[in-house]
Amino acid sequence: MAELDPQVRQVLDLLDQQRTPPTHGLSVGTAREQHDELFSMLDPQSVGDVQDLTIPGPERPIPVRVYAPDDRSDDAPGVFVTFHGGGWVVGDLDTHDPFCRAVTNAASCLVLSVDYRRAPEHPFPAAVEDCYAAVEWAADYAPDLGGDPERLAVGGDSAGGNLAAAVTLLARDRGGPDLCHQSLIYPAVNSVVGEEFDSYEENGEGYLLERESMKWYDERYIQDDLDARNEYAAPLLARDLSGLPPATVITAGFDPLRDEGIAYAERLEGAGVAVDHEHFPGMIHAFVSMLDVVDRAQDGIETVADGLRAAFDA
């Protein structure tokens, strides 16, 4: 069995010393404050340009942030529409900012970060519909941003990976934008009514994301029993995964979501989807966002960038 990466152990020890309480013991407001504080300690990279915009949404305008690289060539770059993690409850454009900047530089592409509606104020399917609307908007307005609408990809981490997977299903089922790639970083693709994987037991406590916290997130996002069986809420429940864009899937060895990410990668492959599955045995959930403190976080960024570059150059 793989050992926990020493740098990750230092992060966990520091959180223990700070007596950081698990999310499932907090109110929604306090959980958001704690999450914001955790990611405010990161030092983001500089990029060529950053714009904050507001685009039309299904119920309200959607704030988005657009990142452009420094080294833009004469050709319009591909566009990566990304959705932040945070259990559909916490996280925002600012907490996702260091990740977006790193991908912008590594993949030399435009990155569009989406501030979708969050639960519990806006339960499923609000976040999915906002994310899909943002992808439709990007397909229409990429040229106005200097990007190429023919090279459009989606992705996200954790709950954002769930939303990215759901958006690919919606785009296929609704005849929507033609997506060239999906980047799923330790995606939360399972449902409370789905299979209980061993990784929930093995990694359910002590590795940042805990089993009880996932339950806490799920209860706030899925507020109708029927929605728990909806494939756009839990893409692993989808009967048909054919016709979806090629995927990069990242999983971490000490993550309760490890096994569902592996299962989804296998399901995609079984449906004829090209998949690059990169497993990081010594890592925990959210490691790709730990750019200042965990060396392998940059390897995760490079994995995402490699997939995007290959898709954009195809």
Side-chain angles (χ1 to χ4, degrees):
M1 182 176 175
E3 294 186 357
L4 190 66
D5 183 273
Q7 291 179 317
V8 169
R9 171 51 64 194
Q10 289 180 341
V11 171
L12 294 174
D13 288 346
L14 178 62
L15 293 174
D16 284 343
Q17 293 167 12
Q18 294 178 342
R19 299 176 182 268
T20 303
T23 302
H24 62 264
L26 304 174
S27 68
V28 169
T30 303
R32 288 172 178 165
E33 290 172 3
Q34 179 173 281
H35 190 79
D36 292 351
E37 183 177 353
L38 179 65
F39 284 91
S40 69
M41 296 184 288
L42 300 174
D43 186 19
Q45 301 176 17
S46 62
V47 296
D49 185 51
V50 180
Q51 299 181 66
D52 283 330
L53 304 173
T54 302
I55 66 174
E59 296 292 338
R60 63 152 175 84
I62 305 170
V64 299
R65 186 170 293 169
V66 182
Y67 301 80
D70 256 327
D71 56 342
R72 296 177 68 169
S73 66
D74 292 336
D75 295 331
V79 181
F80 179 49
V81 185
T82 182
F83 317 118
H84 66 79
W88 311 277
V89 176
V90 305
D92 54 26
L93 296 180
D94 292 334
T95 60
H96 207 44
D97 183 75
F99 168 84
C100 292
R101 289 169 177 268
V103 172
T104 300
N105 289 332
S108 295
C109 67
L110 288 182
V111 173
L112 177 72
S113 184
V114 182
D115 197 10
Y116 55 84
R117 287 172 290 166
R118 298 180 298 185
E121 298 93 339
H122 305 283
F124 175 83
V128 177
E129 294 294 352
D130 279 3
C131 292
Y132 183 71
V135 169
E136 287 192 308
W137 182 89
D140 290 337
Y141 291 97
D144 294 347
L145 303 174
D148 183 355
E150 300 300 318
R151 296 188 290 165
L152 185 62
V154 296
D157 61 304
S158 191
N162 165 287
L163 295 168
V167 163
T168 67
L169 290 168
L170 278 175
R172 180 198 65 185
D173 297 345
R174 294 180 179 177
D178 185 14
L179 302 174
C180 67
H181 196 73
Q182 54 180 318
S183 302
L184 310 179
I185 306 170
Y186 27 80
V189 289
N190 199 15
S191 168
V192 293
V193 300
E195 177 183 355
E196 173 128 357
F197 293 101
D198 291 343
S199 55
Y200 268 82
E201 186 64 33
E202 295 172 14
N203 305 319
E205 294 182 5
Y207 299 111
L208 189 66
L209 177 64
E210 300 197 336
R211 181 175 57 245
E212 289 301 312
S213 293
M214 275 305 302
K215 181 180 178 182
W216 186 91
Y217 288 130
D218 284 334
E219 289 173 347
R220 281 147 186 79
Y221 183 52
I222 304 298
Q223 297 182 15
D224 185 305
D225 290 343
L226 286 176
D227 289 339
R229 302 180 182 278
N230 190 309
E231 64 184 41
Y232 303 130
L236 193 56
L237 299 181
R239 295 179 181 177
D240 179 14
L241 295 179
S242 64
L244 298 179
T248 296
V249 180
I250 290 176
T251 53
F254 290 86
D255 181 1
L257 304 187
R258 178 194 68 206
D259 291 351
E260 65 194 74
I262 293 172
Y264 197 66
E266 292 173 348
R267 286 278 320 279
L268 286 170
E269 282 189 312
V273 176
V275 177
D276 176 21
H277 173 211
E278 296 292 333
H279 183 63
F280 291 77
M283 294 293 107
I284 61 173
H285 195 76
F287 81 92
V288 174
S289 296
M290 301 177 184
L291 285 161
D292 292 339
V293 291
V294 175
D295 292 341
R296 296 228 67 191
Q298 187 59 42
D299 294 335
I301 294 292
E302 291 298 335
T303 298
V304 173
D306 287 347
L308 290 173
R309 282 194 299 264
F312 292 152
D313 292 343

